[in-house]
Amino acid sequence: MAQLTSGESTEASVLNVAPQPSQTRIRAGILCFRNRGPPDRELGVSPGVWDFLFVNRRSKVGRVSTFSGSAASEHEPDNYTVPAGKFETGVDESCEACALREAAEEAGIGVEIVADLGWYESRSKHDERIQTRYFLTRYVRQLESWQEEGQRERFWFSFDESERFASYRKDLSALVADGMKALTSSLLPETVSQAVFLGTSPPAAASKAEASRMEASSVEDIRLPSNEAEERYTFYGHQVGGHFCLVKPAVNSSFFVELPSSNPSREECSGKVRGGDVLLKPFQEDECNFYRVLSQKRCVALLPFMPRFFGTTTLQQEQVSNIVDRALSVAMNKQSAVGVDETPCLEIKAASWMEKWSCHNCLKYIVLEDLGSRASKPCFMDIKMGCRQRSAKYDDARRRHMATKAKRLSSSVVGFRICGMQCFEADSGKLHFEDKYWGQRVSADRMVDALATFLLRRKSEGEEEELELAEEGSAWGSLRCHLIRELLYQLSSLRSAVAESKGMRFWSSSLLIGFDASLAAPDRRQEFLESVRIRMIDFAHVCDVGNCEQDAEYLCGIDNLLLHLQAILQPSTLQKEWLLQRLVSPPDPSNHDKEEANAHQTLVSA
């Protein structure tokens, strides 16, 4: 094995397939709308009812003129953008706060947040990678003066005009389309179309009854009628790892959450989320607190690689009991799959998960983004990162146990191990599940084969397919090659973000890799690649150790995962030798051992 360490990662050799991206710039912004007139009560909301706010780009000062109403035909699309700017660490307590600040500074308006539209990627003129989190907002008022008053002007465009003026940028065009889709969503109340506002107070235009309800309600006060409890929740059928059972709300349902707040003095209100977009994870205080104050810690660069955190919610005991009863009925083939969204995937996991299902009795949950919500055939792999599991909660005996356990696993050799996967069998067209016990049996020398299986390898074609993959010689091989290159790009971007987060230790956390195999066809390659996601998950043991050192064990895992992905692109006869020449050696554990012991002492002394 080559004597390299994660601290001196050889990025040139690790990333000879996908170039190392520059440091990612994190931004936040708004897509602001106003209602030009009352919606048609019979026909519903029409795109013509809404105007979207744009501002001129500062580089285009003097090329646009102030006007009201429709856009003039001579206006060039690339003259305009939406308010957005860099996340300022120490200034912005959250992405929401950053977006509201940019609205005030660039457009001179006060707004209320209606929905989180998620992350959008773009490139700067210097080819710098930019990740921007946009929020759909409702126009509230115009400020008398603002910071960029002499440099920018406000423009209100119809939906069709907005599409035209956003067409010069892929991310901006997608943002406008997503914003209109959210506005016409069935979740929004009549005063806007039907949206439950995610701001810190009810919208000014809301009815008195709605405002009173939103101000007074808390998640504990909102209960479902008992006759609906059976129909709304089940275990998450696409879960592949973890100690606790994830819960999935019914796809067409909606429910209230207690919204996150990074400022304890800020009064929180309840918001409404769509069941199809989220999943529920059993509440752990340390993990919930990490999500709440994430943007205040030293890991702002990691925000695009985290699942969206919506808040917390509490279920009734009756609802939880019904979740368990349904799962056990499915496992014992006593319940039909009809009408139960998760049943087919629950059936194939029954043998591995029945014991956990029967013991499940959690009432409080954190509400997270469901990365497979729009996938017809979601494939997931849960990868535990680091050379061993660590935690500030572990005493001496537990730390010794974890060190001994790691020696039996691939973690001690390559810095990561597989905790489970749901993969697509290209030959049969079906999803296949492997549990954590299978993952524990995947040794370091079998890791390339396990990863290749997850990444759509066809068993029937064997070595011939692998050779074609290396040369991009077949349509299927070319698709797999592009999938691996996309993962290399995202993973190398994540590595840069982790390296920036000095002092943070992502102990016992995982990476979740996912994509929609239903899109895996040569003629749908772009759609397929857009479904690929890498997210960091499981933060119950994350710790800020207070120094300026990088998380060397986590970086070791990323570096070797990058190398294993690249090895799949090599001819099978050369993979082992190619990999052994490049593997990164695990770092000396003594530094992490000291940090872990000190963190434990600090915890017990508190």
Side-chain angles (χ1 to χ4, degrees):
M1 182 183 295
Q3 294 303 306
L4 304 175
T5 66
S6 59
E8 56 186 26
S9 169
T10 56
E11 292 171 352
S13 64
V14 170
L15 298 170
N16 59 8
V17 173
Q20 173 72 9
S22 58
Q23 180 173 311
T24 303
R25 190 195 309 174
I26 306 300
R27 303 166 76 245
I30 66 161
L31 179 65
C32 181
F33 69 89
R34 69 179 182 185
N35 194 348
R36 197 189 311 156
D40 189 308
R41 297 289 179 177
E42 295 182 1
L43 298 179
V45 178
S46 164
V49 172
W50 309 104
D51 286 332
F52 290 111
L53 174 77
F54 282 68
V55 295
N56 62 285
R57 297 169 61 197
R58 284 186 294 190
S59 61
K60 304 293 184 179
V61 173
R63 292 182 56 185
V64 297
S65 58
T66 304
F67 65 96
S68 58
S70 298
S73 60
E74 64 268 17
H75 284 243
E76 297 297 327
D78 67 348
N79 287 344
Y80 306 100
T81 187
V82 297
K86 181 181 177 182
F87 185 96
E88 300 287 351
T89 305
V91 175
D92 300 315
E93 67 174 25
S94 63
C95 287
E96 291 89 336
C98 177
L100 296 177
R101 176 177 57 78
E102 291 295 335
E105 292 179 359
E106 294 191 0
I109 57 172
V111 299
E112 289 170 327
I113 294 177
V114 172
D116 182 349
L117 296 176
W119 292 96
Y120 294 75
E121 182 173 334
S122 59
R123 312 291 299 192
S124 72
K125 62 182 179 181
H126 302 298
D127 202 34
E128 179 185 23
R129 188 169 186 256
I130 300 172
Q131 288 274 12
T132 307
R133 189 169 183 175
Y134 282 107
F135 298 89
L136 183 65
T137 64
R138 171 183 171 274
Y139 172 77
V140 175
R141 64 186 180 280
Q142 181 174 312
L143 306 181
E144 294 183 2
S145 61
W146 71 96
Q147 183 173 314
E148 299 185 19
E149 185 173 5
Q151 304 172 63
R152 298 190 192 268
E153 299 175 17
R154 294 179 289 260
F155 301 90
W156 290 98
F157 296 146
S158 69
F159 174 63
D160 290 340
E161 292 167 339
S162 297
E163 282 191 309
R164 176 192 165 199
F165 289 122
S167 62
Y168 71 99
R169 266 175 49 191
K170 183 178 178 181
D171 64 313
L172 207 55
S173 181
L175 175 67
V176 170
D178 291 345
M180 180 53 68
K181 187 184 299 182
L183 273 176
T184 55
S185 161
S186 60
L187 275 181
L188 297 181
E190 293 181 354
T191 51
V192 179
S193 90
Q194 278 244 334
V196 174
F197 293 81
L198 303 183
T200 56
S201 59
S207 67
K208 290 183 179 180
E210 176 70 7
S212 176
R213 184 195 64 75
M214 292 182 68
E215 288 175 345
S217 64
S218 66
V219 69
E220 288 77 10
D221 296 327
I222 299 170
R223 293 288 183 258
L224 297 172
S226 58
N227 62 349
E228 293 185 29
E230 284 191 325
E231 303 173 359
R232 300 181 66 87
Y233 300 95
T234 186
F235 286 126
Y236 185 51
H238 304 305
Q239 183 173 355
V240 294
H243 296 290
F244 304 103
C245 299
L246 303 179
V247 170
K248 179 66 182 177
V251 171
N252 295 323
S253 69
S254 59
F255 63 97
F256 287 91
V257 299
E258 182 181 358
L259 298 177
S261 172
S262 55
N263 182 351
S265 65
R266 191 181 81 180
E267 181 181 356
E268 295 185 1
C269 67
S270 292
K272 198 174 187 182
V273 297
R274 194 195 317 269
D277 295 336
V278 301
L279 54 81
L280 312 184
K281 181 178 182 180
F283 179 88
Q284 290 180 284
E285 187 172 1
D286 290 338
E287 182 168 34
C288 187
N289 288 339
F290 176 78
Y291 277 113
R292 288 180 184 273
V293 301
L294 176 61
S295 58
Q296 296 181 17
K297 289 185 172 290
R298 303 188 231 184
C299 42
V300 172
L302 293 171
L303 285 171
F305 301 100
M306 304 287 185
R308 289 164 61 186
F309 171 57
F310 293 88
T312 60
T313 193
T314 303
L315 302 186
Q316 299 177 61
Q317 183 62 60
E318 180 184 1
Q319 291 172 307
V320 174
S321 298
N322 286 328
I323 293 170
V324 175
D325 291 343
R326 172 182 290 121
L328 295 180
S329 295
V330 168
M332 292 182 287
N333 298 316
K334 292 182 178 179
Q335 179 168 311
S336 168
V338 177
V340 183
D341 302 320
E342 303 292 314
T343 296
C345 288
L346 288 177
E347 288 174 342
I348 65 174
K349 295 181 172 64
S352 298
W353 288 84
M354 187 180 297
E355 183 177 351
K356 289 184 179 180
W357 291 344
S358 61
C359 297
H360 183 83
N361 193 33
C362 177
L363 298 181
K364 188 171 184 180
Y365 300 83
I366 58 175
V367 184
L368 298 171
E369 169 188 15
D370 177 5
L371 296 175
S373 62
R374 291 171 175 78
S376 298
K377 293 185 182 298
C379 294
F380 290 117
M381 176 177 277
D382 185 323
I383 302 177
K384 184 67 68 177
M385 301 300 293
C387 301
R388 72 176 70 160
Q389 287 182 255
R390 297 182 182 273
S391 174
K393 300 173 185 176
Y394 294 166
D395 59 17
D396 289 341
R398 184 70 169 169
R399 292 196 293 273
R400 288 194 298 271
H401 170 74
M402 287 301 179
T404 301
K405 178 182 176 182
K407 291 178 181 179
R408 304 194 304 266
L409 306 171
S410 62
S411 303
S412 62
V413 180
V414 295
F416 68 91
R417 63 182 173 90
I418 299 175
C419 292
M421 71 175 183
Q422 177 171 288
C423 61
F424 177 69
E425 294 182 335
D427 298 303
S428 66
K430 296 180 179 179
L431 293 174
H432 176 73
F433 170 65
E434 297 285 4
D435 63 16
K436 69 175 184 179
Y437 300 108
W438 170 87
Q440 290 174 2
R441 294 193 297 270
V442 176
S443 58
D445 58 358
R446 292 178 51 214
M447 189 62 69
V448 170
D449 185 66
L451 291 169
T453 299
F454 176 69
L455 298 175
L456 305 178
R457 182 175 63 187
R458 285 176 169 166
K459 295 180 181 178
S460 59
E461 299 190 23
E463 183 176 325
E464 180 181 351
E465 171 63 17
E466 292 176 5
L467 290 171
E468 288 186 348
L469 175 63
E471 300 170 2
E472 299 188 56
S474 70
W476 187 257
S478 177
L479 183 69
R480 292 187 64 220
C481 187
H482 280 89
L483 168 60
I484 293 169
R485 290 178 184 274
E486 177 63 25
L487 289 173
L488 286 168
Y489 178 78
Q490 291 193 28
L491 194 57
S492 58
S493 299
L494 172 61
R495 189 200 189 281
S496 297
V498 171
E500 287 182 50
S501 306
K502 296 179 180 179
M504 296 301 300
R505 298 293 175 264
F506 301 100
W507 290 334
S508 301
S509 66
S510 293
L511 284 184
L512 188 68
I513 299 177
F515 54 84
D516 185 359
S518 70
L519 302 174
D523 60 347
R524 303 184 71 181
R525 188 180 74 189
Q526 189 57 40
E527 288 180 85
F528 174 56
L529 295 180
E530 288 175 357
S531 76
V532 178
R533 298 285 186 274
I534 295 180
R535 293 291 185 271
M536 298 177 71
I537 59 172
D538 300 338
F539 302 112
H541 303 284
V542 170
C543 183
D544 186 343
V545 297
N547 60 34
C548 295
E549 301 298 320
Q550 297 174 342
D551 190 337
E553 291 189 345
Y554 197 101
L555 291 175
C556 171
I558 293 182
D559 288 339
N560 283 327
L561 182 54
L562 284 164
L563 287 166
H564 278 75
L565 291 173
Q566 286 192 72
I568 300 173
L569 299 175
Q570 312 303 317
S572 60
T573 56
L574 302 177
Q575 286 177 356
K576 185 175 182 180
E577 181 181 358
W578 186 94
L579 191 58
L580 286 175
Q581 290 175 351
R582 293 164 174 80
L583 275 179
V584 175
S585 298
D588 182 347
S590 59
N591 288 335
H592 271 264
D593 290 345
K594 292 176 183 177
E595 290 173 345
E596 189 179 16
N598 291 338
H600 177 71
Q601 186 59 43
T602 300
L603 182 65
V604 298
S605 301

